[in-house]
């Protein structure tokens, strides 16, 4: 049981290497879904495994064993193994929960501030223009969705480049990319091995919006130029938007521009083995976590004198 519960805690460390290749081998939308579903399963499996390890250690204590109406000791490996693992699992769960709550509160404050500022401004459809010399633009989720852009950003771009920017941010809102970013943030706090994948998911979301914008305007070179100019203009400005509000100016912009200019002339053939590798990691992690939790439940029933079917 204990060995099984360790596997979901080790598998996430192997995922970042596969995630870095995912965008090169898959279309951006496929990569975005594959990475997000993988980290969600891995994060849930890791939390379940940590929870089972914590309960295993707690039920070794006579007081809690009495509350559990144990008639015989819980069968586990040596206490020299179980108790340190339970203590470490408790520390990891506590630290992850604390950082997650702190990040959630910070992001909620930033979202409320951005939403309040946008709601105070006149809008044209879904477009909200804020008077500010600071160049910035982002997709603001909520009801209704907004595209927030500052006058500083509008002055930095030509008319055709503005249309690219608006198409990019509309693609974020239409596809609900903020949900993918929220999942990535959650997973990063559940397991340290998933933190690097957060940037890969953000890049996949930006690449998907880049492709959508290029399809709308019908000019990949114009899209690449607009993204590059917007990012250059916003590079020295500090934005107060929440991290889950996607923006055309974020991520490794040179890599995104290169992808726009390279396709379709040098577009790589899709290689689904990367998605299959991610799916295998998720399946192994979920399977071992479920098996370990069920084995722990079986041992609890045995310790309570029951004969599980």
């Amino acid at each position: 049981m204990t060995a099984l519960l360790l596997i979901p805690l080790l598998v996430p460390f192997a995922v970042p290497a596969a995630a870095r290749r995912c965008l090169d081998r898959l279309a951006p939308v496929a990569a975005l879904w594959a990475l997000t579903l993988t980290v969600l399963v891995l994060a849930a499996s890791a939390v379940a495994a940590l929870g089972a390890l914590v309960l295993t250690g707690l039920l070794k204590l006579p007081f809690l064993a009495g509350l559990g109406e144990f008639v015989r000791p819980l069968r586990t490996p040596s206490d020299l193994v179980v108790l340190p693992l339970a203590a470490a699992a408790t520390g990891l769960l506590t630290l992850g929960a604390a950082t997650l709550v702190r990040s959630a509160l910070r992001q909620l404050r930033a979202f409320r501030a951005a939403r309040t500022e946008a709601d105070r401004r006149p809008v044209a459809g879904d477009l909200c223009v804020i008077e500010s010399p600071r160049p910035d633009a982002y997709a603001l989720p909520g009801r209704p969705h907004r595209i927030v852009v500052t006058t500083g950003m509008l002055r930095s771009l030509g008319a055709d480049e503005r249309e690219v920017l608006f198409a990019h941010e509309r693609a974020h809102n239409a596809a609900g990319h903020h949900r993918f970013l929220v999942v990535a943030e959650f997973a990063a706090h559940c397991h340290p091995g998933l933190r690097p994948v957060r940037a890969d998911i953000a890049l996949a979301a930006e690449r998907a919006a880049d492709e959508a914008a290029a399809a709308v305007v019908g000019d990949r070179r114009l899209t690449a130029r607009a993204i590059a100019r917007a990012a250059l203009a916003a590079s020295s400005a500090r934005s107060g938007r929440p991290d889950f509000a996607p923006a055309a100016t974020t991520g490794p912009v040179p890599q995104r521009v290169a992808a726009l200019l390279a396709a379709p002339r040098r577009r790589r053939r899709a290689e689904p083995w990367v998605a299959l590798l991610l799916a295998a990691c998720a399946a192994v992690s979920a399977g071992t976590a479920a098996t370990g939790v069920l084995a722990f439940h079986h041992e609890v029933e045995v310790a309570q004198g029951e004969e599980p079917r």
Side-chain angles (χ1 to χ4, degrees), residues 1-44:
M1 175 189 71
T2 304
L4 284 174
L5 293 175
L6 293 178
I7 294 177
L9 303 179
L10 297 176
V11 171
F13 290 109
V15 172
R20 283 190 292 270
R21 300 180 66 86
C22 194
L23 267 180
D24 293 333
R25 308 297 179 181
L26 298 176
V29 174
L32 179 61
W33 277 100
L35 290 174
T36 305
L37 292 176
T38 298
V39 299
L40 182 59
V41 172
L42 293 178

Side-chain angles (χ1 to χ4, degrees), residues 203 206 247-254 256:
L203 175 57
E206 293 304 324
T249 57
T250 59
V253 174
R256 292 166 52 198

